[in-house]
Structure formats: structure tokens, C-alpha cells
Amino acid sequence: FLRCLNCMEDPTSGKIIFNGVDIADMKVDINVHRRHMGMVFQHFNLFNNKTVLENIMLAPEYVRCKEAKKLKTGKSKKQIHEEVKNEAMELLKRIGLESKADVYPSTLSGGQKQRVAIVRALAMNPDVILFDEPTSALDPEMVGEVLELMKQLAREGMTMVVVTHEMGFAKEVGSRVIFIDSGQIKEQAKPDEFFAHPKDPRLQEFLSKIL
């Protein structure tokens, strides 16, 4: 579902309306819209041959250099590099990992990697972030630090689409919860209604096993 939302997988039918545009339309330049749609993967997907800082800087620096050339803004590559670097360091400070700026991802814990992956998505100033089970690959002790960052983003008004099995998190943070089973949306409701009064038999069975 998430991979369809940003057209990493082409939907076979239907529309995906994002900022008033059907991005499932093959005539639309999807890369223009992907700049406003962050993605955080289950297994981090950091570039292991780049430092933490380089991972965060890569996309915004590339996009801004391309735009500066196209729009003839007069900004040099060096100016853009410094601008993006300062912003990336601010993001690392936000998650308490500024001391890890020059290390490689292989030296980080799972929780640290996922927090870096989240701020890498934030570096593009997205309108929405898609999260693909962001805590499922983490040790239990590291889950809390990632969920806390996501809660902070929610409080700040970031729109997020989160695939998760963390029911407590979904209940606390979600504004709408959707239950998907075998590729079908079985039920959707506000969290209180969803967890207290499930209507679909499959959802009732699921919740009875995990709550």
C-alpha cells in the first residue's frame, strides 16, 4: 500500500490524489511529487558507504543544486553545500546524534539508524512521511526512542501514514486507523472507536489476540 502511495509500485487501477494531483497518472512526473513525500523503511536503507551526515545531505543537496542551475538563482554549489550541512546538523542535534555525524551507519545501533533515517526524510521538508513498520527490525529496548521521535513529529503536525503493529502507538497518535487483511481494507475508524468497538470479525479476532 505504501509503495503504491509514492508510486514505487504502479497501481493497477484507481487514483492517488496528492496535493490536488493524481500522481498515479502516468503522464505526471512522479519525481517532482516524491520530493514532498518522505519514506522511512523497515530496514533503514541508509547508504553504508556514506557517513551519517552525508546520508542526510545527499537528497536535499542534489535537488537544490539542480534547482539553482535551472532557476539561475546565483547560489554556488559551495553555498548550497554549507546551507544543507547546517540544516542536517540541526536535525542531528534534534535527535541527540550530532556526535555521530562523521561515522558510518555500521557503527550505529538499530534505534540510532532508524532515527537517522527519519531525519533524512525530514531533510527534504516533506508534506507527508510514509513509515513502513519503522520499529519491527529493532530490539525492544530501542523501539521507544523511535516512537518518541514519531510522537514528537505528530505533535508538530506532520502528516504520517504508518504501517505498524504497535497498537499502543496507533491508539495514542493516530487520527484514523485502518485495518488491512489479505489486501483488503476491512475497517477504518478513529482510534477510540477502532479499538473499543471493532465491527469486522477479522479485526475482532486480531485485537483479541494482541490486546
Side-chain angles (χ1 to χ4, degrees):
F1 179 63
L2 290 185
R3 290 169 71 87
C4 284
L5 288 183
N6 65 5
C7 295
M8 290 174 74
E9 300 279 355
D10 290 326
T12 52
S13 63
K15 296 180 179 182
I16 303 167
I17 308 301
F18 179 59
N19 286 338
V21 177
D22 179 11
I23 60 174
D25 185 339
M26 300 298 279
K27 296 189 284 290
V28 169
D29 183 356
I30 185 60
N31 288 321
V32 171
H33 298 282
R34 280 199 188 118
R35 294 177 192 175
H36 306 284
M37 191 183 291
M39 180 89 178
V40 177
F41 298 89
Q42 185 174 357
H43 293 287
F44 325 128
N45 284 24
L46 298 174
F47 298 110
N48 289 320
N49 63 329
K50 295 188 178 294
T51 66
V52 166
L53 187 62
E54 288 168 343
N55 263 278
I56 297 170
M57 291 177 62
L58 184 65
E61 187 170 3
Y62 172 80
V63 169
R64 289 188 205 180
C65 283
K66 197 172 179 182
E67 286 178 346
K69 187 176 180 181
K70 183 180 178 182
L71 301 174
K72 298 177 181 177
T73 61
K75 276 190 178 179
S76 67
K77 283 187 177 181
K78 186 176 180 181
Q79 285 175 309
I80 293 170
H81 177 83
E82 287 303 315
E83 188 179 275
V84 173
K85 182 178 179 180
N86 290 336
E87 290 172 11
M89 285 303 298
E90 283 300 314
L91 287 170
L92 282 174
K93 284 178 187 174
R94 173 174 178 171
I95 59 171
L97 292 178
E98 63 266 36
S99 64
K100 303 290 187 182
D102 297 320
V103 307
Y104 289 89
S106 60
T107 67
L108 302 178
S109 71
Q112 289 172 332
K113 287 178 184 176
Q114 196 59 293
R115 284 185 288 154
V116 169
I118 292 172
V119 296
R120 180 178 64 173
L122 285 174
M124 291 295 289
N125 295 313
D127 295 325
V128 61
I129 302 181
L130 311 177
F131 289 87
D132 179 11
E133 296 202 54
T135 59
S136 66
L138 301 179
D139 292 335
E141 290 178 312
M142 298 172 183
V143 169
E145 61 192 47
V146 173
L147 292 182
E148 187 52 45
L149 176 57
M150 294 172 68
K151 288 176 186 177
Q152 188 180 340
L153 293 177
R155 288 192 291 268
E156 292 170 3
M158 173 60 70
T159 299
M160 301 186 289
V161 181
V162 185
V163 174
T164 185
H165 290 105
E166 297 285 343
M167 294 298 105
F169 173 77
K171 188 174 184 179
E172 180 182 347
V173 176
S175 55
R176 180 163 58 139
V177 185
I178 298 174
F179 180 69
I180 297 179
D181 182 55
S182 301
Q184 300 291 319
I185 293 177
K186 297 286 188 177
E187 189 161 338
Q188 54 181 312
K190 290 184 176 180
D192 289 347
E193 179 71 17
F194 183 92
F195 289 102
H197 306 290
K199 298 177 181 63
D200 181 79
R202 181 68 185 89
L203 175 58
Q204 291 171 357
E205 178 191 359
F206 174 76
L207 292 176
S208 70
K209 288 179 178 177
I210 64 167
L211 294 181

